[in-house]
Amino acid sequence: MDQIFCPQCRLEQPSDHRYCLRCGADIPLHLLGPDKPAKSFRFFAGVKVSDGDPDVGFLRVSVYRKDQTFTTREGSVTIPGHHVRFSVWDEDQAKCVISVPETEARDLAAYLVAELGTLVTAP
């Protein structure tokens, strides 16, 4: 099995992750070969804007590129590809999750790019 390390913090990474588990830096997956991993994910730091918001909140966005089948002694499960899963984390625990099809994720990305383009940045 190929080993890959984060170019920023040098932590060894699983070969199917696109971003570093520790610092979030891009992992140079092209060094492992032509196949892209079936799944990648990234954590985004939350901003506390009200008393009900977690002190340490994150949004985890997972991109499932292709079907993955996992087999254990208890049986097999197939996780479908071509969807994006969002999970809201409070410290080290997921509190809420939702998956959207790839088409909706692309619409979301376009919406965010368009809306963020209209924001005025402070000097």
Side-chain angles (χ1 to χ4, degrees):
M1 174 180 269
D2 292 324
Q3 290 180 306
I4 191 158
F5 296 84
C6 174
Q8 297 294 320
C9 70
R10 307 293 187 237
L11 179 71
E12 184 175 358
Q13 302 293 312
S15 62
D16 62 343
H17 288 198
R18 184 173 171 198
Y19 300 100
C20 176
L21 295 169
R22 177 185 291 154
C23 71
D26 287 330
I27 302 299
L29 295 178
H30 63 280
L31 299 177
L32 293 179
D35 292 335
K36 287 193 171 198
K39 170 190 164 189
S40 67
F41 72 90
R42 181 173 172 188
F43 281 95
F44 296 89
V47 175
K48 185 174 176 103
V49 295
S50 72
D51 291 339
D53 293 347
D55 290 325
V56 184
F58 296 93
L59 175 66
R60 176 179 163 157
V61 180
S62 302
V63 177
Y64 291 83
R65 294 183 182 91
K66 56 188 174 184
D67 294 358
Q68 299 178 84
T69 301
F70 299 96
T71 304
T72 66
R73 290 183 302 193
E74 292 80 24
S76 297
V77 63
T78 299
I79 299 173
H82 303 285
H83 75 279
V84 176
R85 188 162 179 87
F86 300 92
S87 52
V88 177
W89 289 68
D90 185 350
E91 294 194 21
D92 61 350
Q93 186 176 30
K95 297 292 186 175
C96 177
V97 297
I98 188 170
S99 293
V100 298
E102 185 178 303
T103 53
E104 287 292 305
R106 290 181 187 280
D107 287 347
L108 172 61
Y111 168 75
L112 289 172
V113 167
E115 289 299 313
L116 292 174
T118 65
L119 294 178
V120 177
T121 57

